[in-house]
Amino acid sequence: MSGKESRIRIVIRTEHDEVERHDEDDESKKEFRRYEFHMVEFKEEGEREEMELHKNWLPPLLSRTADGVMFSLGESMFIVGGVCDSVHESLQLLKPPPHRRHLYYKGGAKINLVNEHQKWEPVPYTNDSWNAICVPLLGKLYNFGIMALRPKVLDNPYCIGGHWKDLPLPEHSPLNSQSEYSIPVVADPYNSRILIHSSSTLYALYPEDNKCECLVPQFFSWPEGIVFAAPDLLLLHDSSYPTSLLAYDLATRKFLEVVWSPSPDVADFVYDVLFSLPNQLLCFAYFLPYSTVYFIKFRAQRPSDHTAVVILTALSVHSTVLADINAVDYLPIC
């Protein structure tokens, strides 16, 4: 509608080339990489859309070797896991290294995105936090442990004094604590459930109802990039094959043909990551290391005659320069 402005914001987590070293508690010298957080804002008014980059939008963090899982919940942004190289390291969550102004976090951290005085705070620690597979659903956080399925729930993620509780799997569940599962674990907000891929089978866990069911047996394709384009419609993107994109209808248990319309040029892009945006929009990001990041915003729709096809329509393509740094992750926020 003319005159009405809408906006979409995406946080970009980048890894800085500089490696900071220091001695911690008289142990051998350790290395820390600095993560910085920038934000791109898409503003749309009528037929016109602009993109603006806000560098260093959030305070930086120091981290060890791994990335952690970045997600938003309500007015806060979280990073959980991927910050320790050993489960035997100190359980302290936030610790400023000597003579450094940046915070070093272990296990998890969160930050309020609307607070005028933004600062990182700790997320309650769990023994599996160092390599956590964590998803938000219905205002709670669910942690699924390391490879074997050991779910935990954090009922109030906003409370610093909270703690993770074991989430027993339903009795007679096809999944158990010995079940190995594949990354990612995917929240399905349309059906209040969590999708878990284990032993080439797709399961649905309903944590509020204490129920688990087999959704799709012999479901072999489960790449790292999986999003919901609409209720029961999954898009699957494998970064090892950047131009590939699969669509799957959970209701009919069928893969669908994917076609781009009307811009064939967009289909030839090499995509790094796929993620969801508000209002059932989607976005591909493509990063040229130490140079430029591209965003391709698009919509996925089923034809009205319900033929077995998904039509992808490119809505906009934007780019911005991020010199001397390397993009690690992207997170849409409210």
Side-chain angles (χ1 to χ4, degrees), residues 7-11 39-42 57 113-114 277 331-334:
R7 70 173 186 174
I8 293 174
R9 299 184 298 170
I10 301 172
V11 173
M39 189 265 286
V40 292
E41 185 174 21
F42 297 89
W57 187 63
L113 298 175
V114 299
L277 298 175
L331 176 69
I333 58 174
C334 298

Side-chain angles (χ1 to χ4, degrees), residues 55-75:
K55 297 198 71 173
N56 298 305
W57 187 63
L58 296 175
L61 279 175
L62 294 184
S63 179
R64 293 296 298 276
T65 55
D67 297 336
V69 180
M70 188 168 70
F71 53 86
S72 63
L73 188 60
E75 297 177 343

Side-chain angles (χ1 to χ4, degrees), residues 170 191-192 206-212:
N191 295 290
S192 303
Y206 300 82
E208 293 295 310
D209 299 327
N210 193 32
K211 185 176 71 172
C212 181

